[in-house]
Amino acid sequence: MFKGKTVLTAIDIGTSKIRVLIGETGDREETVNLLGFAEKQSEGVIKGEISDVNRVTVILNDVCKEAEDRANTPINIDTLYVGVTGSHIASRDSSGTVLVNSADKKVTYQHVEEALRNAKSLLLPPDCIMINSVDGYSYLDGTHKETQPVGHIANKLESHTHIIYGNKNKIENFQSIVREQGFENSIPVFNGLASALAVTTSDDFIHGTITLNIGAGITEYIVFNDYVVRDLGVITFGCEHIANDLYLGLDIHINKAREIIREELHLKRMSEGHDTIDIQSSHGVRKIPIASIEKIIDLRVREMFEVVNSRIKAKKLHKQLRNGVILCGGLASMNYAQVLARSIFEVPARIGAPLDFSGTDDVLKNPGNITALGLLRYAKEDVKIRQALGTANLANKLDYGLTSMIKKTFKVFKK
Amino acid sequence: MTAQIINISSLDKSKPPLSDRVKVIGIGNAGLKIVEKLSMIKEASGLEIAGVDTDSASIMKSTITAKYLVGAEWTNGIGTGGDVLKGESAIAHKSNIAVKNFISNGSLLILVGGFGGGTATGGMPIIARFARERNIPVLMLVTLPFSFEGHSKRDAAEAQINNLLRTKSTVITIPNDLLYCVLPDTTPFDKAFSMANEEVAKAVLGIAELLRCDSTISVDLCDLLNVLAKGKTDCGIGIGTASSVETKDRVNDALKNLLSSPLLGGKQRLKISDALIISLTGGSDLTIGEMRFALDTLKSFAGEHTEIVVGANIDELYEKKIQLTVIPITYDKSNAISTVPIEEKELFNIKTTTHTAIIRNVNKLLKHKEEQPELPFTTRSRGIFTPTSQTLYNGEDIDIPTFQRKEIHIDKGR
C-alpha cells in the first residue's frame, strides 16, 4: 500500500489561521517534500478550541481544495493527520511489565510491544481518550535501564511511556470537522508534540529542551530530556492576548493591534527615527508612543514565559534544559521574544527551524507553520512504522503504530 | 532608550525653535486686562499678543490691536454671565477661526485668564486643544478668584483646574488672595487690581523670557513642564526689576522688588514651596558677580527640601536692567506628593500685614488637607475575551491585560 511515494496531509486548525499542508515522502527518504500549502484566516476558533463548527467546516473545505490544487494531487485519506489542542489536554507517565518466557530469554520486539500495550492500558480520567504516547526507556529485570532493550537477555521487561490524553468529545470535534470534508479517518496528533518533532534534533531529545509553541490563542509546551517526555502542558494564552492588551491599553482597533504585532510596526517606525506610531482616527492623526507599545508587549510576553517557567520549575525541570528553549508559533517571529526567553528561562533560546523538509522558503521560514510541518514529520514516521509492521489496518494502528513511534523517530534522528 | 537617541539626532528641522514665535492670548475680561498691561511693557515686544472675549464691551475698551470677539451669535456679545458651558460653546463656535489662525504658526502658546467666570474657565481648555491639535506646546497662567467672590466661582475654577490636570495640561495657578499678603490695607482698590494685572503680565513676560531668551544657564519648557506635571499645584509669581540708571545696587533693588511682588506671597512663601523656578535676565552688562549674588540670595530663601530650577539669560532688551523671575510652586497636599514637613508651615505667619483674618484665609489656602487619599480608579476589562471562559493562573484572570493587573500606567499618546 505504501510502496513508492506516499502523499501525506497535515491539517492545523488554529485560532488565527487554518492551514493545510500536503507533502510527499518516499520509502528511503529522510526528507519530506512539500507539495502544496494553503492557509486562510480562521473564524470560530477561540483559544485553540473550536466554538463554531459550521464556520470552521466551511473554511477548511476551501483550504483543502486550495491545497489540493496547489499540490496537484488529491489528499490521501489514509494518511491524514489533524493537530489537536486545548486546555483539556494533559499527560502522565505509565509503565507496563512483561515476563520474557522464551527459551533463550532474549527480549524481542514483540515483548516490547506487549509491555507498552500493558503500560497504555492504564485507567484514564472519565471522558478522556489517549491521543499520542511517547515511549521512554525500559528496565531489564528491574535494574538495568536501557533505551533499546531488544536483543538483551532478561527475565522481566518493564517499559515506560508517556501518555498524552484529552477530552474525548473535544478531540472528536476536530476529527468530525475533517470527516465533513469526506476524509473518514483522520489521526489526531497533539500540536505541542508535532511542533517539537519538526524542530528538535536527537541531541535536543537527549540533553534537554523545552519546545514552546505560542500561537494566537493557545500555548503548548513540551519538555524532553534523556529520551523521555518530562512534562507537557497547554495554557490558554497567546498572541491574541498581546493584541488585546494593546487594544485596551492604547484605545486602538483590535485589527490595528494585530497588525502592530504581526508586522512589528513599532520597530519599523523606530528604525526610521520616530518615537511614535501615527494612527488615523476620527479626529486627525493620533500619535502613540512606541515606548508604551514596547511596555505592554514586554509585560505580557514576560508574564507568559514566567507562567511556563514557574510550571516547569514546580516539577524541578528547569535545571534539565541544557539545550535551551525552542520558540515556535506566531510569537517566534517577534524578535524580542527570543531575547526575553533567554533572560527568563536562563538558558539559550532559538527560533525553531524545521529540519529535513524540502520546500519553498515562504512556507519553511514562517514559525507559524511549524505545527503543520511537525504533523507531516509525525505522519512520515507513522507511515514508516505502519509499513514495517505491515498493518495497514487502521483499527490496529492505534494499538501498534503510535506506541512505538517515537523510538523509531529517535533512530531516524540519531542517524 | 534607542528611541530617544534616534529622536534627538533626527529632530524635526522644519520646526522653528521655541524662541521664535511665542504667542500670548488673554481670555475673558481679566485676561484682556492682563495682556493689555503686557502690551505696554517694552520688553514684551518680542511676543505676539492677542485677546479673546465674548463680551463686546470689554473688547471695545481694550487697547490691544489683535482682539477677537468670539461666539457673538451665541452670547449676543454680552458675555457668558459666569456660565462655564456657555463659555465653552462660545469659543468652540465657528467664529473662532481668527483665533485658530492666530495660533497656527506659533511655537509656544501662553494662555492667560482669570478662572471663575465663564469665558476663561470654559474657553481656555478649548483654545488649548486647538493648539495641541497643531502640535504647539501650551502653558496656562490662571488666576483664581478672591475668596470673597464666593464658593461657586471658586468651585468652578477648582473643578476646571482638576479637569485640566487630568489631561496633562501645564497650569500655573495664582490665587488672587496672595495680593493681601504684601499690599498694605490702605492700598486703593483699583490700584490693587491694576497692580495684580501688571504682576500677572510681568509673570507672563517672565515665563516667556524663561523660554524665549538665549539661555546662558538654560531653563527650558521641559524643566517647567516636569515640575508642574507632578500634580495639582498652587503657584505664585514674583518679578523684580531694577535698572542701573535709577539705582546703584541694582541686584539688591531687584531682589527687594521681587520680594515685595504682590503675587509672590512674601519671603516665607519661598521657604515652604516644594519647587522654585528662578530666572535671571539681564543685558550684556550683566556681570558674573551680580548673577551669583542674586541666585545665591534666592537660594538661601528656599527651604531645604525645595527643588530649585535655575536659569540665566542675556537679552538686548534688558540693557542696563536686571530682572528676576521666581515661580514658587506648592503641590496640593491632598495628592500626597509633597515632602515639606508640617512644622515648616508655621513659618507662613506673614508679618507684612496685621489683618489676621486674611492671613488665616491664605493659610487655609495652603494648608495641608488631611483627607483620605483617593485610590486610583482602574477599570479592568477582558476586551475581545469577554465572551470566553476565564483563564485563571494563581487566582488571576490572565485574560485581563497584564498592565492593568499590575496597575502600571500606560501613556496612550494623543
Side-chain angles (χ1 to χ4, degrees), chain A residues 47 241 286-287 292 303 310, chain B residues 389 393 399 405 411 414:
Chain A
K47 291 182 185 172
H241 282 79
R286 269 189 69 198
K287 288 190 180 299
S292 298
E303 185 185 57
S310 69
Chain B
S389 59
Y393 183 78
D399 292 337
R405 276 180 282 123
D411 178 9
R414 58 196 167 85

Side-chain angles (χ1 to χ4, degrees), chain A residues 203-224:
Chain A
D203 198 51
D204 294 329
F205 277 113
I206 299 164
H207 291 126
T209 179
I210 176 168
T211 311
L212 203 53
N213 184 23
I214 304 180
I218 202 157
T219 296
E220 297 113 9
Y221 67 90
I222 184 162
V223 182
F224 283 106

Side-chain angles (χ1 to χ4, degrees), chain A residues 10 17 53 61 88 98 102 132 138 182 188 208 223 243 284 313 357 394 396:
Chain A
K17 292 275 166 61
V53 174
N61 192 15
H88 53 91
V98 69
S102 54
N132 308 122
S138 299
V223 182
K313 260 189 179 166
F357 287 97
L394 284 164
N396 292 340

Side-chain angles (χ1 to χ4, degrees), chain B residues 51-296:
Chain B
V52 173
D53 202 357
T54 49
D55 186 355
S56 54
S58 96
I59 284 276
M60 293 271 272
K61 259 189 265 169
S62 175
T63 55
I64 57 168
T65 43
K67 47 191 180 183
Y68 309 110
L69 178 67
V70 291
E73 293 163 37
W74 203 270
T75 62
N76 299 326
I78 54 164
T80 58
D83 188 340
V84 177
L85 278 178
K86 228 175 179 180
E88 224 166 88
S89 342
I91 303 257
H93 196 262
K94 60 179 181 244
S95 61
N96 60 26
I97 194 82
V99 184
K100 281 185 182 170
N101 285 343
F102 178 78
I103 299 169
S104 60
N105 59 349
S107 49
L108 170 71
L109 179 66
I110 302 180
L111 297 176
V112 198
F115 266 27
T119 312
T121 321
M124 197 176 278
I126 308 281
I127 297 188
R129 206 187 65 212
F130 295 158
R132 229 174 279 130
E133 279 166 7
R134 289 163 178 74
N135 267 339
I136 303 165
V138 187
L139 197 73
M140 293 175 228
L141 200 88
V142 171
T143 61
L144 296 181
F146 287 102
S147 40
F148 61 69
E149 287 183 81
H151 281 298
S152 56
K153 276 200 165 190
R154 180 109 212 157
D155 290 350
E158 295 262 339
Q160 189 61 283
I161 285 169
N162 280 334
N163 277 342
L164 287 173
L165 284 173
R166 221 169 287 148
T167 57
K168 298 265 163 208
S169 310
T170 316
V171 191
I172 298 182
T173 52
I174 304 172
N176 274 344
D177 286 349
L178 277 177
L179 271 180
Y180 301 133
C181 303
V182 177
L183 299 181
D185 282 359
T186 50
T187 316
F189 184 71
D190 57 340
K191 196 185 163 201
F193 273 80
S194 110
M195 268 182 84
N197 286 340
E198 200 172 332
E199 283 304 315
V200 180
K202 279 186 192 164
V204 175
L205 183 63
I207 292 165
E209 295 311 311
L210 275 180
L211 312 166
R212 189 181 66 85
C213 290
D214 199 9
S215 295
T216 323
I217 302 172
S218 92
V219 178
D220 56 22
L221 190 62
C222 285
D223 289 319
L224 196 59
L225 297 191
N226 266 347
V227 176
L228 289 173
K230 286 180 186 167
K232 191 178 170 192
T233 54
D234 222 329
C235 309
I237 188 145
I239 315 278
T241 324
S243 158
S244 57
V245 181
E246 295 158 11
T247 166
K248 276 180 191 169
D249 192 353
R250 58 175 183 172
V251 183
N252 236 330
D253 275 31
L255 279 168
K256 268 183 205 158
N257 291 341
L258 169 76
L259 292 178
S260 58
S261 188
L263 290 177
L264 183 71
K267 200 156 92 179
Q268 284 79 6
R269 171 76 194 247
L270 299 183
K271 198 115 204 164
I272 63 154
S273 292
D274 297 323
L276 282 183
I277 294 178
I278 302 172
S279 165
L280 171 69
T281 315
S284 54
D285 54 343
L286 180 72
T287 65
I288 190 167
E290 286 173 321
M291 185 180 87
R292 207 199 60 187
F293 178 72
L295 298 181
D296 272 0

